[in-house]
Amino acid sequence: MGIQVEFNPDLALRNYFEFKNGNRKAEECISDELVVGQVYNFLKKGQRNYWLEGEIPLLETKGNQELSRPLASIVILEARHFILDDEIYTSGKYRVEEVFKKNDETIHFDGFAKIE
């Protein structure tokens, strides 16, 4: 048995309807309205590591690594690991730096580098 850690180049959360329908906690979902400068909480199952020294994409996930294009550029402000009911979770806070237009085909990131 080893230590299972996942390194994430982005933050992938569920659609807000998953919370409204009672399937997920609010922190597991993207707010229904993202505001630049606003700080939001997040919650992910598993022990995850995020890059804290710059902007990363915020994506929507449907599960099974089915991800959207970037919805926003964010900065992770804090991340912590904890155990709840014998399961490991990662929680934290992120700040929205830029919100991208819906159906935007522009490339906003090249790896970890945000394209200005």
Side-chain angles (χ1 to χ4, degrees):
M1 179 174 163
I3 299 171
Q4 293 184 353
V5 178
E6 188 171 326
F7 290 84
N8 295 126
D10 50 47
L11 178 60
L13 300 173
R14 300 291 178 139
N15 187 288
Y16 194 70
F17 288 112
E18 292 289 328
F19 167 66
K20 287 194 170 206
N21 292 335
N23 300 326
R24 300 279 176 171
K25 295 178 176 149
E27 296 83 8
E28 294 178 285
C29 302
I30 298 171
S31 174
D32 55 350
E33 184 180 340
L34 292 172
V35 177
V36 172
Q38 183 77 29
V39 175
Y40 299 90
N41 295 318
F42 72 89
L43 177 66
K44 296 288 290 182
K45 196 173 191 179
Q47 188 169 339
R48 298 164 183 268
N49 287 327
Y50 295 97
W51 186 50
L52 302 178
E53 295 184 315
E55 296 179 43
I56 63 171
L58 175 66
L59 312 175
E60 180 182 313
T61 181
K62 294 182 180 179
N64 298 319
Q65 299 178 343
E66 189 177 335
L67 304 171
S68 72
R69 294 188 55 82
L71 304 175
S73 177
I74 64 166
V75 172
I76 302 279
L77 301 174
E78 66 180 56
R80 70 182 187 96
H81 305 112
F82 66 96
I83 297 174
L84 178 65
D85 298 327
D86 294 325
E87 299 232 39
I88 297 175
Y89 289 86
T90 302
S91 68
K93 296 181 183 296
Y94 66 93
R95 182 181 62 237
V96 175
E97 299 296 316
E98 182 180 355
V99 177
F100 304 133
K101 295 176 186 170
K102 196 171 190 168
N103 300 319
D104 185 356
E105 293 296 321
T106 305
I107 297 173
H108 296 283
F109 289 88
D110 182 9
F112 279 109
K114 183 169 184 249
I115 299 171
E116 299 298 329

